[in-house]
Amino acid sequence: MTASSSLAPGLQSDIAVVLQTLAGAGAVKCRAFGGIPVTSPAFIAVLSAGTPESDLQAHRLEEALGRTLLALGVRGAEVAPPCGGTVDKFLRCHANSVGACKKVLVAIADTSQAFANTPIVQEWIRRGSGYEVLPVMREGGDAATVLPVGVRHLNAAVWKKSVEESVDEVLGLAGIGTEDRRVFVSYRRVETTEVAEQLFDELSRYRFDVFVDRFRVPPGRDFQERLTDELAHKAMIVVLESNTILHSEWVGHELAFAKKHGLGRLAVALPGGVAVPWLDDEFRVSVRPEQLAPQATAVRKDSRLTPDCAAAVVSRIVSEHTRALSRRRASLMDSMRAALTYHGAVDQAMDARGHLHVRVQHSGVDREYALWASPRPPDLPDFYAAHQVCSPGPTISGLFVAPSSFLEEGRRRRFEWLAERSLLGLIDEGRIDDIAARIAAGKDLW
Amino acid sequence: MTRLLGTRNGILAGRSVFLSASVPSPDRAEKYLRLQAAQVEIEDAVVSLTRAVLYEGGRLVFGGHPSISPLVAMVAGEYRSPIRLEEEPDRVPSVEIHQLDAYRTELPDATTFMAEMGQALVTWHPMAIEGRETRASGGPRFPSSLRAMRVAMLRDDRLAAMVCIGGMEGVEEEAELFASLRPGAPVFVMARTGGASAILAREPGLNRRFRVIDDELLNELNPRLRRSDEELAAAPLENTPYAFIMQRLVREIGRGSANG
């Protein structure tokens, strides 16, 4: 069974993202990427203004997009596009016929010269709704001069030092979001405010949503809900180990929560700090006194990390985040696969987005199931993507395996309501074996 | 709609499972194998077991450990709402943590809090010996008191089975005691979590009631996995599927309890 059979249309060969570039007089260049966890496939077309300068910027942006896409998933890989890597005409791609595919044209303007490739932009716009345009220009440029006609009313992505600053906006418009790139920073304000803010700034450049614990209430009757609100949608917790970190009423709860859900975890051992006792050293990065600015034997409220140290800490956070998220997702899916196989549902296939498709035959009836696993509660994009696969129903039964963080009755009811309308079942990982038995028997999920 | 949460009041109703687990420390790695990402692996196994037991209406019992206790107590919070004064005053928490009196001031805040919310029960045990106890180098601080606590803990007639995950001397002692004090109740060993569990799994003359459940299930499963989609067969399971293993393990315990 191939994963793409009987699905709502996806890109060929289970490609997650097609990246096409027209820059210079050369042929159109096509690249394809698979193994990236996206809720919808995407077609990103990068178009230069037709000048040497914009050609250069287009190439740089294409390379930056490629690097970022590969970093988004452990199984992320560049794959051979169906066209062989070149097409005879820019914007020609099978992705145009895939309704669920996001389509974004990135128009790279020159600093001062007019946009010579305007007809291509206008052709794109004529294709109708679903065809997005993102103008990209350097700060200081005159939009009325350098941007193509027809898109001057749009908000442009403006870059200052490098066109790579636009990667975030391109991927955002293409629906390749940050929903899994959320980091929670636990720290003591009296000691490490500057370091926390510094990490906030640095991680934001890597397309992380960074949450610092600005809102604190003492644990109380709504304690579980409070922790769930703050952490349930995060993929990682970073603890700044300063001298009084253990005075925090929250850090122990936060770490237990992170462990319970297999979230990434990293302690930054700062000079003069104490180690939280519930983390192994393999989840710890140490900062030496000379790596603080100003240099100090104990971190202070106004201390910052030196640029090299900050870069090293952030790099460690990024890699631990990716590792933990991928592991958690794979772990849930591995348990699902094992349970399905145990119960005899061996006709399984995984698509490029990491969704598991299962086909069973029971009493002469074929049934197909599509399963998603997530280390975090599902978001609206997850329900939408699932609905794309499962609609109009009831041919494909969808199931989302997620952590059971919804102790609060109201929240649980809302998720169940949304899941029903998305033709999606929701279970927590404690029921994997149960559900696998039902699937193997070709039963309804609800 | 498939309900997201809740217990089934199922096959483990009225029964308890004894958990013996810890993360082998790096300085004991010569004897107690420490896996790569040992902490994550063992925590994953513990969380999966807790969920599987609580989902089937069972109770989880164990000797307190600073890295295990808060984790288990927090999972318990997913299955039971915090106790309210006006209702269920006699409700028995689904997690029971045993601790020596000497550790009263060292109980993690998260554990204390969950106990106050009625989601975990902490049972305190007196010290067996006044004053200092003789301890082996690198061994536990109060060996005699710990052993006495373990004996008391394992006399609970509701204990239907034991599960060993990772661990060091404590897991070895608890397995030995369980096998002698609870004849007829199975001991499930997770060999792939390393530590004392890996040692117990390799014991020549292994007690027949010690089942190396992870190896058992995965050895049965692997040939069947290869018959599935080619692409998946080329990418075997990346991780030990603890959620699946623990849920099957709980089924085994439930079947064993039903058969008396």
Side-chain angles (χ1 to χ4, degrees):
Chain A
M1 168 179 143
T2 57
S4 55
S5 65
S6 76
L7 289 177
L11 298 183
Q12 289 179 22
S13 308
D14 293 321
I15 291 166
V17 180
V18 169
L19 179 59
Q20 194 179 91
T21 309
L22 176 65
V28 176
K29 181 181 175 186
C30 268
R31 299 173 69 184
F33 300 84
I36 298 167
V38 297
T39 51
S40 302
F43 172 41
I44 301 172
V46 179
L47 173 68
S48 87
T51 64
E53 182 202 326
S54 62
D55 286 347
L56 177 64
Q57 301 306 341
H59 280 305
R60 283 186 178 154
L61 183 62
E62 177 235 313
E63 284 170 9
L65 284 167
R67 286 195 305 272
T68 306
L69 287 169
L70 288 172
L72 287 178
V74 164
R75 285 193 172 133
E78 189 155 359
V79 299
C83 63
T86 60
V87 290
D88 57 352
K89 189 177 178 198
F90 186 57
L91 303 184
R92 182 167 288 170
C93 181
H94 76 284
N96 289 302
S97 61
V98 178
C101 179
K102 298 272 193 186
K103 304 165 187 75
V104 178
L105 177 70
V106 185
I108 310 289
D110 187 87
T111 305
S112 58
Q113 297 186 54
F115 203 97
N117 285 325
T118 293
I120 298 176
V121 176
Q122 290 170 343
E123 182 200 333
W124 179 268
I125 293 171
R126 277 196 294 272
R127 293 182 182 191
S129 70
Y131 284 81
E132 306 281 353
V133 179
L134 179 68
V136 175
M137 59 183 278
R138 189 172 198 160
E139 186 180 50
D142 179 10
T145 302
V146 304
L147 292 185
V149 173
V151 300
R152 290 171 184 164
H153 63 288
L154 298 176
N155 284 330
V158 177
W159 57 274
K160 296 179 186 177
K161 293 181 182 173
S162 166
V163 72
E164 295 181 20
E165 296 164 27
S166 309
V167 164
D168 199 84
E169 289 181 73
V170 173
L171 295 182
L173 199 57
I176 302 168
T178 58
E179 61 269 9
D180 283 332
R181 293 165 82 81
R182 298 178 182 139
V183 174
F184 183 92
V185 179
S186 184
Y187 70 107
R188 293 281 287 168
R189 274 182 245 179
V190 296
E191 290 174 321
T192 46
T193 296
E194 279 293 321
V195 174
E197 295 287 346
Q198 186 179 13
L199 291 178
F200 177 97
D201 291 338
E202 296 285 330
L203 285 167
S204 297
R205 297 218 314 257
Y206 280 81
R207 307 192 70 243
F208 279 87
D209 276 346
V210 186
F211 296 79
V212 292
D213 60 339
R214 294 200 178 98
F215 306 104
R216 274 285 179 259
V217 295
R221 277 294 306 281
D222 64 347
F223 159 72
Q224 278 275 39
E225 186 178 340
R226 187 78 197 172
L227 210 57
T228 300
D229 280 346
E230 293 189 3
L231 288 176
H233 290 262
K234 310 302 186 294
M236 177 155 187
I237 178 171
V238 176
V239 179
L240 303 186
E241 291 180 327
S242 56
N243 186 40
T244 62
I245 188 62
L246 295 181
H247 295 189
S248 164
E249 295 176 87
W250 284 92
V251 68
H253 297 287
E254 289 158 358
L255 276 171
F257 188 97
K259 291 178 179 190
K260 180 178 72 145
H261 291 296
L263 306 184
R265 77 286 301 256
L266 189 74
V268 181
L270 296 161
V274 298
V276 293
W278 320 286
L279 272 185
D280 277 1
D281 280 342
E282 71 178 291
F283 301 108
R284 183 167 280 110
V285 58
S286 293
V287 175
R288 300 187 305 276
E290 59 269 27
Q291 292 176 308
L292 288 180
Q295 184 169 329
T297 54
V299 67
R300 303 189 313 236
K301 196 172 179 180
D302 63 345
S303 298
R304 289 175 66 86
L305 305 178
T306 58
D308 283 350
C309 179
V313 168
V314 165
S315 176
R316 186 70 196 277
I317 290 172
V318 171
S319 66
E320 178 57 32
H321 168 274
T322 302
R323 185 168 68 131
L325 190 64
S326 301
R327 182 195 176 279
R328 186 70 180 122
R329 187 178 282 128
S331 176
L332 284 173
M333 198 52 86
D334 282 345
S335 274
M336 199 70 235
R337 284 181 53 207
L340 286 163
T341 304
Y342 180 87
H343 289 287
V346 297
D347 190 357
Q348 304 170 21
M350 194 83 82
D351 69 22
R353 285 167 279 174
H355 306 148
L356 182 66
H357 300 269
V358 185
R359 182 173 278 160
V360 299
Q361 238 191 20
H362 200 269
S363 304
V365 176
D366 277 346
R367 285 201 72 162
E368 185 171 348
Y369 301 84
L371 292 91
W372 290 258
S374 173
R376 53 162 178 77
D379 279 343
L380 190 57
D382 299 311
F383 288 109
Y384 178 72
H387 182 75
Q388 297 282 89
V389 171
C390 298
S391 70
T395 309
I396 302 175
S397 300
L399 184 70
F400 206 96
V401 183
S404 48
S405 305
F406 315 124
L407 190 62
E408 194 269 311
E409 183 68 26
R411 182 185 290 119
R412 184 168 67 210
R413 276 205 298 272
R414 286 193 292 275
F415 271 95
E416 289 178 349
W417 173 85
L418 189 54
E420 193 167 352
R421 276 143 191 81
S422 307
L423 305 176
L424 187 68
L426 281 179
I427 64 159
D428 84 20
E429 59 190 276
R431 300 194 54 197
I432 281 174
D433 190 60
D434 247 4
I435 288 296
R438 288 185 71 86
I439 289 174
K443 291 183 179 175
D444 290 339
L445 296 179
W446 64 86
Chain B
M1 168 56 60
T2 301
R3 285 192 63 76
L4 187 61
L5 278 180
T7 61
R8 288 209 302 189
N9 195 25
I11 57 179
L12 288 190
R15 309 300 290 174
S16 301
V17 173
F18 181 66
L19 166 65
S20 186
S22 70
V23 181
S25 61
D27 54 1
R28 312 295 306 286
E30 198 174 325
K31 180 177 179 188
Y32 297 110
L33 171 68
R34 239 183 95 89
L35 303 170
Q36 189 181 15
Q39 187 173 44
V40 171
E41 292 285 316
I42 288 168
E43 287 165 359
D44 197 357
V46 168
V47 168
S48 295
L49 175 69
T50 307
R51 289 208 169 102
V53 168
L54 299 188
Y55 176 63
E56 291 291 352
R59 294 178 76 239
L60 200 67
V61 177
F62 60 102
H65 190 282
S67 67
I68 303 291
S69 303
L71 186 58
V72 173
M74 193 168 276
V75 174
E78 293 175 4
Y79 292 86
R80 307 285 289 275
S81 54
I83 198 164
R84 292 169 171 79
L85 284 175
E86 66 276 15
E87 65 186 45
E88 300 186 71
D90 299 322
R91 185 181 78 178
V92 178
S94 47
V95 168
E96 183 171 358
I97 304 170
H98 292 258
Q99 291 274 178
L100 286 178
D101 271 341
Y103 293 111
R104 274 191 189 265
T105 58
E106 296 179 31
L107 199 65
D109 287 342
T111 308
T112 304
F113 187 76
M114 300 308 279
E116 288 169 359
M117 299 298 279
Q119 284 153 345
L121 171 68
V122 181
T123 300
W124 295 99
H125 294 258
M127 305 305 287
I129 296 174
E130 289 290 328
R132 204 180 202 105
E133 293 187 23
T134 306
R135 63 185 283 206
S137 166
R141 279 158 63 184
F142 307 106
S144 301
S145 298
L146 267 178
R147 188 174 179 92
M149 182 187 85
R150 283 165 177 154
V151 169
M153 193 165 50
L154 297 177
R155 291 199 189 284
D156 184 346
D157 288 336
R158 291 168 298 182
L159 287 174
M162 174 178 183
V163 180
C164 301
I165 298 173
M168 294 180 287
E169 293 91 349
V171 169
E172 288 181 294
E173 181 173 85
E174 287 175 351
E176 170 225 325
L177 284 170
F178 189 94
S180 74
L181 291 172
R182 305 233 60 83
V187 177
F188 295 94
V189 176
M190 296 287 293
R192 292 172 186 231
T193 56
S197 299
I199 294 173
L200 290 170
R202 288 195 310 266
E203 286 269 288
L206 183 69
N207 187 312
R208 285 181 190 214
R209 289 187 294 118
F210 281 40
R211 284 183 59 185
V212 187
I213 188 72
D214 49 359
D215 280 349
E216 225 178 84
L217 280 170
L218 292 176
N219 289 342
E220 179 191 341
L221 212 55
N222 281 336
R224 293 158 72 180
L225 277 167
R226 280 196 282 277
R227 288 207 297 273
S228 65
D229 183 87
E230 273 185 25
E231 182 186 322
L232 283 178
L237 297 182
E238 291 179 45
N239 306 280
T240 306
Y242 292 112
F244 161 70
I245 291 171
M246 295 307 183
Q247 287 166 42
R248 292 308 315 166
L249 180 158
V250 161
R251 292 266 186 282
E252 295 282 326
I253 297 172
R255 265 205 296 273
S257 296
N259 294 337

